[in-house]
Structure formats: structure tokens, C-alpha cells
Amino acid sequence: MLMKPPAPYLPVPSPALSAEDQAALTDLYIRGTPANTLRAYERDLLYVTAWKAARFDAALDWPEAEATVLAFILDHARNLGDAPPEDSARQTADALIAQGLRKSLACPAPSTLDRRIASWLAFHRMKNLASPFDAPQVKQARAKARRAAARPPAPKSAHPITRDVLETLLATCRGSRRDCRDRAILMLGWASGGRRRSEITGLMREDVSLKEFDKRDVVWLSLLETKTTLKGDTPRLVLKGRAAQALVHWIEVGEISNGPLFRPISKADRVLKRRLSSDAVAQILKHRLKLAGLPDGYASPHGLRSGFLTQAALDGAPIQAAMRLSLHRSVAQAQKYYDDVDIAENPATDLLG
């Protein structure tokens, strides 16, 4: 059942539409907006509302004034730790830090600023209003801020979980139901192409086909949607061998006949009915890293994704073949993992001997 999001995320009522059509438009917005996007909208609306209240002692306007959004860009385009205490941007940042909405006075990452602006822009579109972010001076300031704050991209995981690291984690999974579940999550998350947390926890038992398992040790997975594919456009993915066996073993041990594929397990080792949360995947990985004797923070769940592609490069798998499983939309994005491997093996690096 889809939960109706708060009114700011929905299209404004239009006098040109009948009540029936307005309801249909609202329903379209609800069904067509991913849950992760709704959560980002909620955080961003809270942030920009608090920012304007602290900066101008005023509520948001619809449409917002160009001067206000320009001030927003300028406030987030420099390191405010260097600003004097009486600086209005610093005072605003201090207020947001006190509210727990901002972490520090450092210049936010360009991607963070871009996401908040994108949400703000989306709210204007939902209200059928012209956006102040389309003004030439504002657009130019955004571009300059992005370039001024440019920094080397930080990896989403400190280390990729390559095959040897994965085997170390799997060795910590013994024989309890929790161990069976964690083994299946790690192997499915890695071997099916490096799945994201939301994709792993979003799987239902009905998304798993075991028709070819007895004959070929093959399991087929049907993802509803991913970050790079829309509903209905995601191709089926395959699990083979050990990964397929681990998943089937979990289904049998957990007695998963329908509903969520991966679920919480009680302290008494009893499988619960509700879906496992995305954050739980991070906790599972953290727990397994600790049991394996690896440092805290060694890898995040994205390490399953980066590790799959890194291992594919190490094993000489064509990038197109790896992308068919990882479902990367951009070759350039997937190529980064291959480049990290290839440059170390490039003969040109040994010219000096």
C-alpha cells in the first residue's frame, strides 16, 4: 500500500481540472515518485525552510525571489569556518548546526547543493510555478559554485569487496538462520551484479524463480526497478552455483513462501514477517566485517557493487558483460572500476624498470 506524501510534494490543485482528474494527477505523482526521492524531498524542504527562517526570518515564498535563491547558493559556496562571527551566512549556518540540519561550517559538496536545489525546483514545478533557478544570473552562480567547490570524488566504500574479501566474510556465516540469511544477502548482493541496498531489501519471494534450480543450479531474479531503470524495464538477473544455492537454502530455512525475501531475525533466531530495512544491510555488513577481523569502516554496502566490478576487471571480464548484471547506465561510470585495475597492470607504468 502506497502512503500518501505530505501536500508540498503533490501537484497544486488546478481550477482547469475536474476533481476526478485532480485526484488522478495526485495518484500519478504518488505512484511515479520513488520512496527514496520522497524522503530526499522531505529532508530538503525541511532544510531550505529552516535556512530561510534563520537567514531572513521569513517563510518560503512561492515562487521564491531570485535574490533569495542566489543568497542560498552563495551561503553554500564557501567555507564559513573562515568567516567572521558576524557574517550572516555563518550565523545562519550556526543556527542550522544547532538544529542538527547541518554538520559543519565547511563548504558542502556540490552534489549536496545540487540535490537541494533540484528538490526546491521540483516543488515549484509541482505548484505549476516558474522557477527562480532558471534566471541567467542564478544559473551562472550555480555553475561557478560547482566549479569553485569541486573536489575529487570520494569512494562510496573505503574498499571494494573483492572475491577474497567476500570469502572472508562468508566464512563468518556458520549455521544459524541469521547466518543463512546473511550469507544469502552477501552472495546475492555481490554475484547478481553488485546490488544496491534498496534493491536487495526490495526483493519479494515472488521475484525469485526456482524453475531451473534443480537441473542447472540457476535462480532468476526479477527486480521491480533500480536507480537506473524504470518499473517494468529492469531485465531479469541470474544467480548461479554457490550464490543460487545460498539463496535457496535461506528460502528453505526461513520458510519464505511469499512476501519479503529478506527479513529481520529475532534474538531467539525466529524469522519475522516484515521486510528487512536498507539500513539493516549496512549493519549486517558491519557485523560480518568485525567477525572477520577487518577494521571498522573497511567497507560499506556499496563495496559489494564496486567489488563485483573490480573483480570482473581483475578476471578480464568484458565491461559490457559486467554491465549487463550491474545495470550501469553509463559506460564511463562502470569504466572507473576497470581503470583502477588496468592502470596498475599497464606496461607503461614499468618503463623505468
Side-chain angles (χ1 to χ4, degrees), residues 44-64:
D44 295 337
L45 182 61
L46 179 64
Y47 184 89
V48 297
T49 300
W51 171 85
K52 188 175 181 185
R55 184 72 152 82
F56 297 105
D57 192 24
L60 294 176
D61 289 321
W62 305 101
E64 193 54 82

Side-chain angles (χ1 to χ4, degrees), residues 147-303:
R147 176 170 293 183
R151 63 189 71 173
K156 295 180 181 179
S157 179
H159 296 90
I161 299 175
T162 49
R163 185 166 49 231
D164 57 338
V165 178
L166 180 65
E167 294 289 6
T168 302
L169 299 180
L170 294 176
T172 70
C173 301
R174 309 294 182 180
S176 68
R177 287 190 177 91
R178 188 183 303 275
D179 289 331
C180 293
R181 180 202 64 186
D182 292 359
R183 183 188 298 111
I185 286 175
L186 291 171
M187 296 191 82
L188 180 148
W190 196 92
S192 65
R195 303 271 59 85
R196 301 176 181 90
R197 289 185 296 172
S198 59
E199 296 166 5
I200 294 172
T201 58
L203 281 168
M204 305 289 284
R205 172 61 184 86
E206 293 79 3
D207 299 327
V208 180
S209 173
L210 305 181
K211 292 181 178 179
E212 297 183 45
F213 178 71
D214 290 337
K215 291 183 178 180
R216 301 175 54 201
D217 263 5
V218 168
V219 170
W220 290 94
L221 304 174
S222 300
L223 295 177
L224 178 62
E225 62 180 325
T226 71
K227 185 178 178 180
T228 55
T229 60
L230 299 176
K231 290 182 179 179
D233 291 340
T234 304
R236 289 200 306 165
L237 299 174
V238 66
L239 278 183
K240 294 181 177 180
R242 293 171 58 203
Q245 293 165 13
L247 180 59
V248 172
H249 185 53
W250 159 244
I251 290 173
E252 293 173 349
V253 168
E255 299 179 351
I256 313 296
S257 58
N258 55 60
L261 182 61
F262 294 115
R263 309 175 182 195
I265 295 177
S266 70
K267 292 182 179 179
D269 208 32
R270 184 170 59 87
V271 180
L272 306 182
K273 293 184 178 181
R274 67 176 184 272
R275 183 189 306 278
L276 197 68
S277 70
S278 293
D279 289 340
V281 175
Q283 294 304 315
I284 289 170
L285 179 59
K286 183 178 181 180
H287 176 63
R288 294 298 165 184
L289 288 169
K290 183 177 180 179
L291 291 178
L294 292 168
D296 188 33
Y298 179 87
S300 72
H302 190 268

Side-chain angles (χ1 to χ4, degrees), residues 4-5 10-11 21-31:
K4 183 176 180 180
L10 298 176
D21 287 340
Q22 185 66 47
L25 181 61
T26 297
D27 178 66
L28 180 63
Y29 269 66
I30 295 172
R31 291 185 292 108

Side-chain angles (χ1 to χ4, degrees), residues 51 55-56 66-76 89:
W51 171 85
R55 184 72 152 82
F56 297 105
E66 291 180 18
T68 300
V69 299
L70 189 57
F72 183 81
I73 294 171
L74 296 175
D75 282 8
H76 295 82

